[in-house]
Amino acid sequence: MYNFELMDNEKVIKIFDEIMIKQEDNQKITTIALTNKRLLFLDYLTPNEGLEVLRIARGANYIKYKEVYYQIDLNEITDITKGECYQVVLENKMIFEFDDDELYNLLKR
């Protein structure tokens, strides 16, 4: 399950679960939601400790949600190149890589 809010006139295009992203030597498997305005990076954030203890002890059941921990406006993307991984360059010169062909094709549109 996912927990994020859309902006006015924003629509989800596709959600990619278990996608590898990389920045320099740091690598992470995460979820990316692509909308018509943003890339949203989602993961399980630190749980409420009380609820987590109850869940583990089977005293309560609650749904865990993936939440946004980082976002990029699509208009900040200046270049996307294909190599060993797809490399995204942002206006602020930050670079990250990912490994999904479908996401690449949707971003190149």
Side-chain angles (χ1 to χ4, degrees), residues 63-105:
I63 299 172
K64 292 174 70 171
Y65 292 97
K66 288 187 177 183
E67 299 185 36
V68 175
Y69 65 88
Y70 194 75
Q71 68 181 8
I72 296 171
D73 290 338
L74 294 182
N75 60 9
E76 293 178 22
I77 297 174
T78 59
D79 193 26
I80 303 173
T81 58
K82 183 177 180 178
E84 187 176 315
C85 286
Y86 299 106
Q87 190 175 69
V88 177
V89 180
L90 304 177
E91 286 176 343
N92 64 4
K93 306 299 182 211
M94 184 184 95
I95 298 172
F96 75 93
E97 298 175 286
F98 64 90
D99 67 348
D100 189 276
D101 296 329
E102 186 177 6
L103 177 57
Y104 169 76
N105 290 327

